[in-house]
Structure formats: C-alpha cells, structure tokens
Amino acid sequence: MTRAEAKERNRRALLDAALEAVSRDGHRAKLDEIAERAEVTTGAVYSLFGSKSGLVVAAIADYLRPHYAEMERAVPPGLDLLEAADAFARRYRRSLDAPDARSGLSLQITLLDMAVHDPDLGARFAESIRTQEGHLVELFTGRSHADGAVTPGQARHLVTALRALFVGLGQGVILGLAEGSDEQYFADAARALASGMSSRRP
C-alpha cells in the first residue's frame, strides 16, 4: 500500500467509524474510541481532519453527499421551475420509503441534540449543509418561471422553504403522523411553494 493509499484508507475508516459512533452515542462519542475502531491513532484524526469536530462534520457531509446527488439526478435539465419542484418532491417522498429512512431520522435527531450541546459544532453542521444545498440552488437557478428565469436568490429562498417543508413532512411520514402524504401531496406542496415565489428578483 502506498502512502497515499494508506492515507485514503485511514480517512475512509475514520469517516465510517465516526458516523457509527455519532449515530450511537451522539455528543458523547469519544475520539479515542472512534480512532480505535478505525485502527488508527488519535493523531491521524488531527492530521486528516484537524479536530474531532472536523471529523464529525466531514462524516456527516460524506453521509449526506449521495442523498443530495440523488436529488440532483432526479431533476433533469429542461424542466421549468414547477416541473422541477414536482420531480424533486416526488424523489424526496420516495426516499422516505427506503430501508434506511428510520435510521436517517434518528441521525437527524442526534445531530440536533449535538448542535444544542455544542453550538460551535452546530455552526459547522449548518455551514456544511449550506454547502450541500448550494448544489440544489444551482439545480433550480435559471429555470423558466413566470415569463422569466429563476435567479440564484430566488432559488436559495425556494430551497430553504422546501427543506423546512420536507423535513417536517418527512418526520411525520416516518413516524406515521402524516396520513395521505403520498407523492402527489408532496408534489402539490412543492408546486405551491414554487408558484407562490415572489416576483421580486433578489
């Protein structure tokens, strides 16, 4: 194994170990236990990620990245804004029926708890999520709507609203508190948000 391969192996092992530890122990996850599970020293954590917080944020970003990528793939070019919002909503709703949906909700709740206990870590989480959401902003920017094209500012407002809407609805679906919230319901809600977007062009 080359030095670069060993470094990548250690990075991958730490990301996996950190996600498992955070999912299980939340803010009580211990750095030395994460390093032990990854079969590296704690020094490797500081070398690769700078700190425990850096490792945790990287692990969550690594976990979320494919989910955001799937959402992007679900919305092809050529759709106008309402069609794009519809396609995005339907893909999000289908993700709630995936085998890992409940574990995903558990992790979401754990991360909120961690953010409460460690505001600095919470700020890092927020920045990481904003970075991921930036790809969704790009996904909606430029699509035709109301005799014009969606601006980056409008797209960001829409993505923020969709996230708030779907996180709440998603929790309800997983917990059995959102009867009738099928794909069409999600799509109608997303279209309503998109169609009601301000005509102002921030």
Side-chain angles (χ1 to χ4, degrees), residues 95-166:
S95 74
L96 299 175
D97 295 325
D100 64 347
R102 295 188 73 86
S103 62
L105 175 58
S106 178
L107 179 60
Q108 184 183 118
I109 294 169
T110 296
L111 294 178
L112 288 174
D113 181 61
M114 292 179 73
V116 168
H117 282 87
D118 187 341
D120 177 64
L121 185 59
R124 288 173 178 245
F125 282 148
E127 183 58 34
S128 177
I129 290 172
R130 276 194 290 269
T131 298
Q132 296 292 336
E133 287 186 346
H135 297 295
L136 299 183
V137 171
E138 293 176 4
L139 189 68
F140 289 110
T141 297
R143 293 185 185 271
S144 60
H145 179 62
D147 298 323
V150 177
T151 68
Q154 289 175 318
R156 181 163 294 282
H157 290 168
L158 177 61
V159 168
T160 299
L162 287 173
R163 173 173 52 79
L165 172 67
F166 289 159

Side-chain angles (χ1 to χ4, degrees), residues 65-77 87 91 136 139:
R65 193 171 294 113
H67 293 277
Y68 279 101
E70 288 177 12
M71 293 298 174
E72 291 178 48
R73 288 194 293 271
V75 187
R91 179 62 187 84
L136 299 183
L139 189 68

Side-chain angles (χ1 to χ4, degrees), residues 14 31 42-56 58 124:
L14 281 167
L31 183 59
T42 54
V45 174
Y46 294 103
S47 174
L48 291 167
F49 299 100
S51 65
K52 174 187 172 183
S53 293
L55 169 60
V56 172
R124 288 173 178 245

